[in-house]
Amino acid sequence: MSIEARQETLGFQAEIRQLLDLMIHSLYSNKEIFLRELISNASDAADKLRFEALKDDSLYENDTDLAIRVEFDEKQKTITVMDNGIGMSREEVIDNLGTIAKSGTRQFFNALTGDQNKDVHLIGQFGVGFYSSFIVARKVEVTTRRAGLSRGEGVRWISTGESDYTIETVDRPKRGTRVVLCLRDGMDEFLNSYRLRGIIRKYSDHISLPILMIREGKDEKGDETVNSATALWARNKKDISEEEYHEFYKHVAHDFEDPLTYLHSKVEGKLEYTSLLFIPSHAQFDLWDREQRHGIKLYVRRVFIMDDAEQLIPAWLRFVRGVVDSDDLPLNISREILQNNRTIDSIRAGCTKKVLGLLQDMADRDAEKYAGFWNEFGRVLKEGVIEAKDDKEEIARLFRFASTHDDSDKQAVSLMNYMERMQQGQKAIYYLTAENFVTARNSPHLEVFRKKGIEVLLLTDPIDEWVTAHLHEFDGKPLQSVTRGELDLGDLEDQDQEDQAENTNQGQDGLTERIRQSLGDKVKEVRTTNRLTTSPACLVSDEHDMGRHLEKILKATGQSIPAVKPILEINPEHPIVMRLKDETDDGRFAEWARILFDQALLSEGGQLEDPAGFVHRLNALFLDLAGSKNTQDGT
Ligand code: ADP
Ligand code: MG
């Protein structure tokens, strides 16, 4: 058999150098985690082999005792981590160890500031993985062969973690991967059996494969299993410490930080499964990426079946990490079968309920912690009321909004808080959607609500438009936009104001009609309102037309939507409106009317069709007023 050595030197993807720099700098005080990462990869490799071997058991090559082995050599100053998992082909080595395939990589690098002190915490969110070897190693040598390939198709990868690596084809009788770390000076502390065992127990005890080391001592040399080597989730809750849960999370989620919270439960009865679900502390970089990976891992009777089993958790809970282990599914289940499977549907419904319960519990017990969760994942959770058929009210209960109650941009008000503060006789939950908090807070539409002390929720996430379109009511109360339809405050309307509105309305018919004619097809209607107290005018949409803010969002995404004309509402009490009524000059009346319209548009954060024209008109009026003032002064 001839082995074509095919040796070549290849450059790392540019980002890797940057990543390595950052990692070595930022994780220096935590360097022992390299071992956790290598063991985690070895364990994943064993899972993948088990899974592929379900279809083709020749991949085991008569070696079914999957294990991870850790060795060290004091003289050579090396540490070796070996596995008999799936291994890698030449191409896979280049893809996996020469580029960062993680989705979200670009966002990660964009987020870096160049200030290492600031960037340090980012790396934790990104995950460290294989490259953490270079924290302790000056040179890393990986020898591997993929299961199923011939012994001549082994691969050796060597790098000093600078700009490139070499790769060559080698003879490798054994399937699986061996990683040899040649330690840097000053890393001798790791050349110690006691220390290595301690690290393994601390970080990798939950790994379900045996992690073997050579037995110490004078008696005959043999292997010793260092970890518990049982699937963590299959163990009794009582016997698992918080640290163990946290380390397990880091392994399944490929995360570096502790999770925010978790839930371990065993369901028994007609359907039997165990779930161990975690809420991460921070949003994953790829939370908004369509190709996001690493969700829930599916196991069947302790055998790994697949990563990212998206059928096990709805998309609006895609930030949840963990494992589900079913006793009922067949081992040879495929993704296609998962899509139409009753058992899976019940498991998903069960997991969904559990996560909602877990979040509600966190919200009830620890508002501050929940605020942290909401900040990271609230916008994803909001998709729930759009997508879910059931549980809408339960999901909405978890929402938090900014509101006029405390006028802070912190989203801290729940719908229950709102309901508790509702006024006697208030018929609806009022909200306003806008592009940002400042625009929302200063919106003229809020004036009468502020005057009467009626709370309005201020919604500023783009998704809120869809949320309110799908959440029509909460606890029996309808959600009502303050920028839509005629304002009907019902019992909250004060009688004198109503009378006044009627009175003034009667007298305004001429004015509103004159403004409408002057504005032409810019508006659908002009009418007086009691919505305003200090502003002269605002724009609203008809009850059944598309909301103005939604229209803007859709336009921004390039969708062509039929133009919806707004309704201009004027405040009959406002001096400008009163002044307009007496304006006899048609030309000047038209200028004023147009300014009213443009102002109303500006105050809702809208874009003027003709900004220069607006400025011009405004200046003309200023001069006009100044002129009349001067003549007054002169007399
Ligand atoms: P992650 O584990 O989050 O995917 P890593 O940087 O730890 O990221 O590893 C990168 C990739 O290299 C892995 O996804 C895997 O495909 C491959 N890999 C690493 N170690 C091994 C191994 N021991 N056996 C097989 N493949 C491995
Ligand atoms: Mg890894």
Side-chain angles (χ1 to χ4, degrees), residues 37 40-41 44 129-130 254:
E37 296 299 327
S40 171
N41 287 347
D44 287 345
F130 170 78
H254 299 248

Side-chain angles (χ1 to χ4, degrees), residues 446-477:
L446 298 175
E447 289 172 7
V448 69
F449 291 90
R450 290 204 193 272
K451 185 176 153 209
K452 293 181 178 293
I454 303 171
E455 183 171 359
V456 178
L457 299 173
L458 305 176
L459 313 188
T460 51
D461 286 338
I463 192 173
D464 291 332
E465 285 289 350
W466 284 269
V467 169
T468 51
H470 286 82
L471 187 71
H472 302 292
E473 55 167 56
F474 181 79
D475 205 12
K477 293 278 182 200

Side-chain angles (χ1 to χ4, degrees), residues 41-42 45 48 83 87-88 96-97 102 129-130 177 254 293-294:
N41 287 347
K48 285 178 199 156
D83 67 67
M88 285 177 273
N96 298 332
L97 306 185
K102 276 195 175 65
F130 170 78
T177 303
H254 299 248
R293 54 173 200 161
H294 297 324

Side-chain angles (χ1 to χ4, degrees), residues 353-543:
K353 283 253 182 257
K354 289 219 175 68
V355 174
L356 290 177
L358 178 66
L359 294 174
Q360 189 59 56
D361 198 52
M362 193 201 314
D364 294 342
R365 277 169 206 256
D366 189 342
E368 203 175 310
K369 190 168 171 185
Y370 188 75
F373 162 79
W374 182 254
N375 232 346
E376 295 291 322
F377 302 111
R379 284 179 301 155
V380 182
L381 199 66
K382 281 180 181 171
E383 294 171 15
V385 293
I386 302 167
E387 283 169 31
K389 285 185 207 74
D390 322 307
D391 312 320
K392 266 190 211 250
E393 189 117 352
E394 245 183 298
I395 301 167
R397 203 174 284 274
L398 293 164
F399 291 179
R400 296 292 181 271
F401 304 103
S403 106
T404 53
H405 177 68
D406 51 6
D407 262 345
S408 139
D409 64 347
K410 288 228 170 56
Q411 300 182 352
V413 174
S414 72
L415 289 167
M416 278 94 68
N417 297 146
Y418 183 96
M419 304 276 287
E420 282 161 18
R421 291 193 285 258
M422 271 169 85
Q423 305 221 352
Q424 197 111 50
Q426 185 178 336
K427 282 191 278 187
I429 297 172
Y430 293 104
Y431 69 86
L432 172 101
T433 51
E435 200 169 7
N436 58 55
F437 179 71
V438 177
T439 306
R441 188 182 54 189
N442 298 333
S443 165
H445 299 95
L446 298 175
E447 289 172 7
V448 69
F449 291 90
R450 290 204 193 272
K451 185 176 153 209
K452 293 181 178 293
I454 303 171
E455 183 171 359
V456 178
L457 299 173
L458 305 176
L459 313 188
T460 51
D461 286 338
I463 192 173
D464 291 332
E465 285 289 350
W466 284 269
V467 169
T468 51
H470 286 82
L471 187 71
H472 302 292
E473 55 167 56
F474 181 79
D475 205 12
K477 293 278 182 200
L479 270 77
Q480 168 73 44
S481 163
V482 300
T483 64
R484 244 165 202 266
E486 296 224 44
L487 181 65
D488 173 16
L489 288 176
D491 298 348
L492 297 174
E493 205 107 45
D494 22 273
Q495 200 50 51
D496 58 320
Q497 193 188 6
E498 230 167 280
D499 297 346
Q500 189 191 10
E502 304 248 299
N503 287 342
T504 34
N505 265 350
Q506 279 169 7
Q508 305 296 342
D509 283 356
L511 177 62
T512 50
E513 180 53 24
R514 201 168 157 208
I515 298 176
R516 200 194 59 73
Q517 282 185 359
S518 162
L519 290 174
D521 61 1
K522 292 212 170 331
V523 291
K524 187 169 182 176
E525 189 188 335
V526 178
R527 65 189 181 208
T528 54
T529 184
N530 56 356
R531 213 186 286 271
L532 302 170
T533 60
T534 52
S535 299
C538 68
L539 296 176
V540 299
S541 7
D542 225 355
E543 191 66 56

Side-chain angles (χ1 to χ4, degrees), residues 37-46 48 81-83 85-88 92-93 95-97 99-102 126-132 142 144 176-179 251 253-255 293-294:
E37 296 299 327
L38 294 179
I39 289 174
S40 171
N41 287 347
S43 164
D44 287 345
K48 285 178 199 156
V81 178
M82 270 172 290
D83 67 67
I86 190 76
M88 285 177 273
E92 286 169 326
V93 170
D95 283 349
N96 298 332
L97 306 185
T99 58
I100 306 173
K102 276 195 175 65
F126 187 67
V128 284
F130 170 78
Y131 299 102
S132 63
V142 178
T144 185
T177 303
R178 183 180 69 207
V179 181
H251 167 64
H254 299 248
D255 194 352
R293 54 173 200 161
H294 297 324

